[in-house]
Amino acid sequence: MTLSATHVLLEMPRERPEFEAAWLAKAIEAEALWSAAQADREFHDRVDLLHADGIPDLAAFARETLDELKQQNYAAAFELYADGYGMFSREFGLMVRLGFFIHDGVCYRMGLPSTLTPQVVRQAAIGLCAVGEDWGDGVFVLTPERHLHMHRESDAEAWQSRRRAMSRFTVVNA
C-alpha cells in the first residue's frame, strides 16, 4: 500500500489552559472506557486489528499530541505512519471518531466530545476496524486513512510554515 497523501494537519486553541485540561480529562475518561471494553473478551477479539501489535493508549496519545502541538506553535503536520507500525493512525482514527478532533475543511482542530459512554467508545473502535482492505490469503489490513483527510508531505509542510508565520504577527489596536 503506497499512499501519496500521508499527513494530517492538527491545530489547537492558543493559550487556553482550561480547554487543554478539559481535553486531557476527556481523553483520560476515554482511555478508561477503552480499557474497560478490552476486558470483554468478545469485544477484544472483535477489534483485534486495533491491537494486533500494541493496544492503543488514548490518554498517552492525547498527552503526546498536546505536547507536540505546543512545541510546534499550536499547529503541526503529522505523518500518519511515521512510527512504522500504524499505531498513530489507529489512535488518531479513534480520537477522530470519538470527537477529539474535528475536520474544518482544511485541518483537524481539537474538540471536546459531547458524550463519552462505553457504547460510544465500542462503536468508534468497531467502526474503525471496519475500515480496511483485504490483501488476499486471509490478510485484512486496517486502513484508517480511508476515512481521514490527508495531505501530501509538501502541502502539509507548506501549511505548517504558513501557520507558524501567521502566529508571529501581533495585532495592534490603533
Side-chain angles (χ1 to χ4, degrees):
M1 170 178 56
T2 303
L3 300 172
S4 62
T6 60
H7 287 69
V8 290
L9 311 176
L10 277 61
E11 191 168 31
M12 67 180 281
R14 294 180 170 281
E15 313 290 332
R16 300 251 328 263
E18 71 286 345
F19 174 83
E20 293 171 25
W23 193 80
L24 282 175
K26 280 283 194 182
I28 291 167
E29 180 183 347
E31 175 60 30
L33 293 168
W34 167 244
S35 293
Q38 291 295 306
D40 174 350
R41 196 74 197 146
E42 185 179 324
F43 174 76
H44 182 82
D45 292 346
R46 186 169 181 192
V47 297
D48 64 340
L49 285 175
L50 281 178
H51 53 75
D53 56 358
I55 296 174
D57 185 330
L58 302 179
F61 176 84
R63 283 189 295 275
E64 291 166 8
T65 302
L66 185 65
D67 288 346
E68 184 65 25
L69 282 166
K70 285 179 172 180
Q71 286 181 343
Q72 298 292 332
N73 206 14
Y74 302 96
F78 288 84
E79 208 275 305
L80 207 58
Y81 289 97
D83 60 11
Y85 302 102
M87 185 59 76
F88 179 89
S89 70
R90 287 178 269 158
E91 290 171 331
F92 181 68
L94 275 172
M95 297 290 275
V96 167
R97 286 178 175 271
L98 291 171
F100 284 93
F101 295 98
I102 296 110
H103 194 262
D104 70 1
V106 176
C107 70
Y108 285 95
R109 295 184 184 271
M110 290 171 63
L112 282 174
S114 57
T115 305
L116 286 176
T117 65
Q119 186 62 23
V120 167
V121 170
R122 286 171 182 252
Q123 285 176 339
I126 290 167
L128 190 59
C129 280
V131 179
E133 60 184 51
D134 187 349
W135 282 15
D137 294 329
V139 177
F140 190 80
V141 177
L142 191 64
T143 53
E145 65 275 2
R146 287 183 174 216
H147 287 272
L148 296 173
H149 300 276
M150 310 257 299
H151 300 270
R152 290 190 312 262
E153 182 176 13
S154 59
D155 295 337
E157 289 172 353
W159 175 85
Q160 188 169 330
S161 293
R162 283 192 306 275
R163 299 302 298 163
R164 286 185 183 150
M166 285 173 46
S167 70
R168 291 187 194 116
F169 294 112
T170 304
V171 176
V172 177
N173 291 331

